[in-house]
Amino acid sequence: MSEQAFDIIIIGAGPGGYTMAIRCAQLGMSVACVEKDPGLGGTCTNVGCIPSKALLHSSELYHEATHGFAQHGIKVGKIEVDLPAMMAQKQSVVSSSNKGIEFLFKKNKVTWLKGEGSLLGGGKVAVKGESAGTYTAKHIVIATGSEVMPLKGIEIDEKQVVSSTGALKLGAVPKTMVVIGGGVIGLELGSVWNRLGAEVTVVEFLDRILPTNDGEVSKQMQRVLAKQGMKFKLGTKVTAAKAGKGGVTLTMEPAAGGATEEVKADIVLVSIGRRPYTKGLGLEAAGVQLDERGRVKVDDHFQTTAKGVYAIGDAIQGAMLAHKAEEEGVVLAELLAGQKPHINYDAIPGVVYTWPEVASVGKTEEELKAAGIAYKAGKFPFTANARARAMTMTDGFVKILEDEKTKKVLGAHIIGPDAGHLIQELVMALEFGASAEDVYRTVHAHPALTEAVKEAALAVDGRTINI
């Protein structure tokens, strides 16, 4: 058994945990990070953001080769999917990311406590596993992330009925797949298997996909994905799933009530969201309270209801995004070091890594209307952007929302090629209180996709050039 004291002990080495650990070490603190998984990086690195983006990129290349090359005058022979090789590529990306974080821990002298951590109270943490023992710290941070949200009446076996984890390691391309949930994870993984040859149907309880995004973007995205072959059943709830030798039989009915129907699929992906992972942490005994949704209660400085215990990331309120957790980790580290950092929750971007991509920051039109805020909207389509035409990727648009009185950018929404990169200029605009004019007075290179951002900003003032 080991006994050691640290300035900071962080439970969880996902994006929030490992980023905070490194920042704390940079600030001169002694840091330990407790992680039970064999590879550092948490859900994001091992079974989330990173492997899904690897498969998204590989499947995009396959889809482009089979559907897009000919238009560019490129003739190819028979193209086949080598799924084991694709999965091996995915895993190599995950492994290199694991090793990268482990290297950063060693470089910054962060101690990795291998095992499961729990709170004992009084500044103590118990670890079960390879690094078994009791450890003490001035400050303890809960950064345990989230887990898959279960759906009542459906048992996930990770073979026929899978979560996102199982969908990342299927052994064969299914003939048919039903995705329960039309949010980010469902659309991303549904896109992967759709491109590789599966017939994908998305079942969504609400009346539109991407329900938290700007309404116009959601409608456009559904049209684009339908063009790619995906099918949609909106306003529908799944009440049961029965797996058998011939696949999975789903029972579903209208969300508003009505007659039931049965649908069969080889694979069913349950992706209705995620919930904070807090089990086995000894929170109650340590005096750490949860809210009505199972999230750790914290104040504006991430302090829980137990003195000296903090929480960040998916375990607390707010968007479940890796970059939100990372920023919270950095902010908390700097607060504990006596600095005065800040985080602007209105300027955190969200990206859907389908193709085309969807990216957003700030308020939607629906939110501004509900709040009674007078605003101006400027929109520019990629069909009028020269670079997008050259790339033969003209689906989508850029939309910018500006406060009519203050002239500050309040929100921005993009559906189109490389939207995840393009949004960052508008995140910066939001962060610094810029106006649409500030954006369009900045010179943009030609020909570039970023010109669509400039033109959307011009559209706010009714003075677009290229449309």
Side-chain angles (χ1 to χ4, degrees), residues 392-432:
T392 61
M393 295 176 180
T394 55
D395 284 324
F397 56 83
V398 179
K399 178 162 66 173
I400 297 175
L401 309 175
E402 180 187 79
D403 190 302
E404 204 170 78
K405 294 179 180 178
T406 68
K407 304 301 181 185
K408 290 183 178 181
V409 173
L410 299 176
H413 308 277
I414 305 174
I415 173 172
D418 283 333
H421 294 149
L422 298 179
I423 197 67
Q424 201 57 44
E425 176 180 3
L426 296 168
V427 174
M428 185 78 76
L430 211 73
E431 177 68 27
F432 284 91

Side-chain angles (χ1 to χ4, degrees), residues 118-431:
S118 60
L119 306 182
L120 296 177
K124 295 183 178 181
V125 172
V127 176
K128 294 180 181 178
E130 187 176 331
S131 302
T134 299
Y135 302 85
T136 61
K138 297 175 185 175
H139 309 287
I140 298 170
V141 182
I142 300 164
T144 46
S146 59
E147 62 181 352
V148 171
M149 179 82 76
L151 181 58
K152 185 179 179 181
I154 296 182
E155 182 181 348
I156 295 174
D157 59 15
E158 299 296 12
K159 294 177 181 178
Q160 291 175 289
V161 181
V162 300
S163 68
S164 54
T165 301
L168 288 168
K169 55 183 181 183
L170 296 180
V173 177
K175 183 178 179 182
T176 55
M177 171 183 274
V178 168
V179 177
I180 304 175
V184 177
I185 296 171
L187 295 186
E188 287 185 352
L189 292 176
S191 290
V192 167
W193 295 107
N194 177 62
R195 293 170 189 154
L196 298 181
E199 295 177 12
V200 176
T201 300
V202 177
V203 180
E204 169 58 45
F205 182 82
L206 299 176
D207 60 0
R208 64 184 174 101
I209 62 171
L210 299 177
T212 61
N213 281 74
D214 186 88
E216 188 178 10
V217 169
S218 295
K219 290 176 183 177
Q220 175 80 349
M221 192 58 185
Q222 184 178 336
R223 286 195 291 268
V224 171
L225 292 177
K227 220 167 38 169
Q228 294 176 9
M230 293 176 70
K231 299 176 182 178
F232 297 89
K233 292 179 73 67
L234 305 180
T236 303
K237 66 177 178 180
V238 178
T239 57
K242 185 177 181 181
K245 290 183 179 179
V248 184
T249 301
L250 290 173
T251 303
M252 54 184 72
E253 62 185 48
T260 63
E261 65 172 313
E262 289 188 346
V263 173
K264 285 193 173 183
D266 295 327
I267 297 292
V268 172
L269 165 59
V270 179
S271 57
I272 61 168
R274 299 182 66 82
R275 64 184 181 186
Y277 183 87
T278 57
K279 62 186 178 185
L281 296 177
L283 300 186
E284 186 176 352
V288 176
Q289 295 178 9
L290 305 180
D291 67 14
E292 69 284 353
R293 294 176 60 182
R295 302 172 300 192
V296 179
K297 287 184 178 181
V298 293
D299 63 16
D300 291 341
H301 288 173
F302 307 103
Q303 169 76 56
T304 71
T305 51
K307 186 179 179 181
V309 179
Y310 305 81
I312 59 172
D314 288 5
I316 67 172
Q317 65 181 6
M320 289 187 170
L321 296 168
H323 45 284
K324 177 251 195 188
E326 290 175 343
E327 291 305 314
E328 288 177 338
V330 169
V331 168
L332 177 54
E334 293 174 354
L335 283 170
L336 295 176
Q339 298 182 9
K340 296 181 179 180
H342 87 287
I343 181 170
N344 181 359
Y345 286 105
D346 288 328
I348 295 180
V351 182
V352 187
Y353 293 94
T354 47
W355 197 266
E357 293 178 346
V358 171
S360 62
V361 65
K363 303 298 184 184
T364 65
E365 285 205 63
E366 291 79 10
E367 288 172 334
L368 292 177
K369 287 174 183 176
I373 298 173
Y375 68 94
K376 295 194 295 181
K379 193 169 75 168
F380 189 81
F382 282 102
T383 52
N385 177 267
R387 183 63 188 275
R389 289 198 296 267
M391 295 166 65
T392 61
M393 295 176 180
T394 55
D395 284 324
F397 56 83
V398 179
K399 178 162 66 173
I400 297 175
L401 309 175
E402 180 187 79
D403 190 302
E404 204 170 78
K405 294 179 180 178
T406 68
K407 304 301 181 185
K408 290 183 178 181
V409 173
L410 299 176
H413 308 277
I414 305 174
I415 173 172
D418 283 333
H421 294 149
L422 298 179
I423 197 67
Q424 201 57 44
E425 176 180 3
L426 296 168
V427 174
M428 185 78 76
L430 211 73
E431 177 68 27

